[in-house]
Amino acid sequence: MSQLTQGELEVMQILWEHGELKPSEIQDNFPRSIKNPALRSVLGVLLDKGHVSRRQVGKAFLYKAKTRRESAFRSMLGHLADQFCQGSTRALLFNLVQSEKLSAQDIAELERIAKAASGTKSQSPKTTRVKSQKGN
Amino acid sequence: MSQLTQGELEVMQILWEHGELKPSEIQDNFPRSIKNPALRSVLGVLLDKGHVSRRQVGKAFLYKAKTRRESAFRSMLGHLADQFCQGSTRALLFNLVQSEKLSAQDIAELERIAKAASGTKSQSPKTTRVKSQKGN
DNA sequence: AACAATGTGTAGAAGTTACTGCACATGGGG
DNA sequence: CCCCATGTGCAGTAACTTCTACACATTGTT
């Protein structure tokens, strides 16, 4: 499935956050001013690409994200890895760890998360929930 | 500086790898078939955007990458973090660590790299100096 | 029934990326 | 000097993204 452009991504973010919306509601939640037909133009592209679905309710269409946020994220990350890390997200990760300035505490946290995620002998399998915090 | 497109990135990769080249040489190293004027069109865009410089030698132009590979990588990674991790590459890193399936060995390696890069005082800070990336 | 509000459909313009074709310039070998 | 290979300059096409303008349809209210 083809990559999301900037504008398409802006729309997807709103759908991921709010669920099922009609165009005017997306407009209301848009980070910048956008005219209705311009927005619908983007929605049309997203529909063609299969990233959203829509259903008619009354006279309006409700749009819903079909591609999951995590999938889109992974896809874009994978694309970046293709370009800069021989296609390996792992190599990308190592690169990132190397260039980020991490505190000892960060590193400990990192290790805990890694172990919990690998599902092996984790020391304290508490709620190491980090996920995509969208506390908007 | 504006983001690199797919085609622009393909050209940059070759310049990063080979140094200073003239268009026909870039063509020879191109992963797919591309006609000379098409390539020069991309080079022109890269020149406008400031990502490459060129100098005339004889009757030909030699093109050289001006933006460093690491800078472009970090920039694109930052862009991705803006979209999916509230602008924090650190959050992106944590997310990645969580979703990658890492072996215990990977985790140990990760920790080693992290500590070396951060130059912490928890261990022997031997080869701390990894790289000094400065903004281009 | 007429009207305003809301929402859709369609047409199309502007900018960018990616590409093609062709004419022109320069430098070495006959 | 003429020819030809290499390389540039320039004009223009095609697809895509983003956006605008405007007409038409539906619903609720008066």
Side-chain angles (χ1 to χ4, degrees), chain A residues 21-37:
Chain A
L21 297 177
K22 54 185 172 182
S24 62
E25 292 168 335
I26 299 178
Q27 271 181 276
D28 295 339
N29 287 284
F30 221 65
R32 57 190 165 83
S33 168
I34 186 174
K35 298 234 172 122
N36 185 286

Side-chain angles (χ1 to χ4, degrees), chain A residues 39-99:
Chain A
L39 171 62
R40 283 184 293 126
S41 168
V42 178
L43 283 170
V45 174
L46 286 171
L47 211 51
D48 289 343
K49 290 187 179 177
H51 289 298
V52 305
S53 61
R54 72 176 189 181
R55 66 192 178 98
Q56 192 151 18
V57 173
K59 73 172 177 177
F61 285 105
L62 293 187
Y63 290 81
K64 189 173 60 171
K66 217 169 144 189
T67 300
R68 293 205 349 273
R69 183 183 153 100
E70 186 65 16
S71 301
F73 179 44
R74 297 293 299 183
S75 163
M76 295 181 75
L77 214 44
H79 192 244
L80 206 56
D82 287 343
Q83 315 276 202
F84 289 97
C85 305
Q86 301 81 46
S88 161
T89 33
R90 178 158 318 195
L92 191 153
L93 167 58
F94 276 65
N95 188 311
L96 201 49
V97 165
Q98 187 177 263
S99 54

Side-chain angles (χ1 to χ4, degrees), chain A residues 5-30:
Chain A
T5 65
Q6 179 58 37
E8 287 161 18
L9 197 46
E10 286 179 301
V11 173
M12 292 302 288
Q13 297 287 8
I14 293 171
L15 291 178
W16 283 324
E17 187 177 353
H18 293 92
E20 207 176 23
L21 297 177
K22 54 185 172 182
S24 62
E25 292 168 335
I26 299 178
Q27 271 181 276
D28 295 339
N29 287 284
F30 221 65

